[in-house]
Amino acid sequence: LLCNLVGVVYPTYRSIKAIHQLPSNDNELIAEQKQWLTYWTVYGWLQIADYWSTQLLKLLPGYNFLKLIFLYWAQNDQSRGATLLFEHFLRPLLRKPQS
């Protein structure tokens, strides 16, 4: 329940807030929306990995606590963890090979 609250409910609230927010500068709005869309992209990939490796990951002591800390780091405004993961790991995987 706690992982779902931190991993889904709070980011959903912040995403809705970012969509409806009217900042003085449009660049602020775009940056906020990009952060939350990036978070959802990374979260989706992690959910897929978590689903397929559940039995193995459950062998790790404190797995749910580590997952909770990771989700907080990924959505934190100061760390921009989701953006870091996307830029360094997911984007290179999604690039089309150059001919």
Side-chain angles (χ1 to χ4, degrees):
L1 177 64
L2 190 57
C3 282
N4 283 332
L5 285 174
V6 172
V8 177
V9 175
Y10 178 69
T12 300
Y13 164 74
R14 291 294 305 260
S15 297
I16 292 168
K17 187 176 173 182
I19 290 167
H20 289 93
Q21 191 177 18
L22 296 173
S24 59
N25 182 349
D26 286 340
N27 290 334
E28 291 176 24
L29 177 61
I30 291 169
E32 184 75 13
Q33 289 175 341
K34 182 179 178 186
Q35 166 64 18
W36 288 107
L37 290 172
T38 303
Y39 172 80
W40 286 115
T41 302
V42 169
Y43 182 80
W45 281 93
L46 292 174
Q47 284 299 101
I48 291 168
D50 189 57
Y51 175 79
W52 290 105
S53 59
T54 298
Q55 297 305 320
L56 180 63
L57 292 173
K58 284 187 178 181
L59 296 174
L60 295 173
Y63 168 67
N64 284 328
F65 182 69
L66 293 173
K67 184 177 175 182
L68 180 65
I69 291 171
F70 178 79
L71 290 170
Y72 175 75
W73 172 79
Q75 63 186 259
N76 188 293
D77 287 338
Q78 277 71 40
S79 70
R80 299 279 188 195
T83 302
L84 290 172
L85 289 173
F86 183 78
E87 293 295 329
H88 294 287
F89 296 105
L90 292 178
R91 183 175 289 208
L93 290 173
L94 300 174
R95 283 194 181 133
K96 293 180 183 178
Q98 295 179 356
S99 306

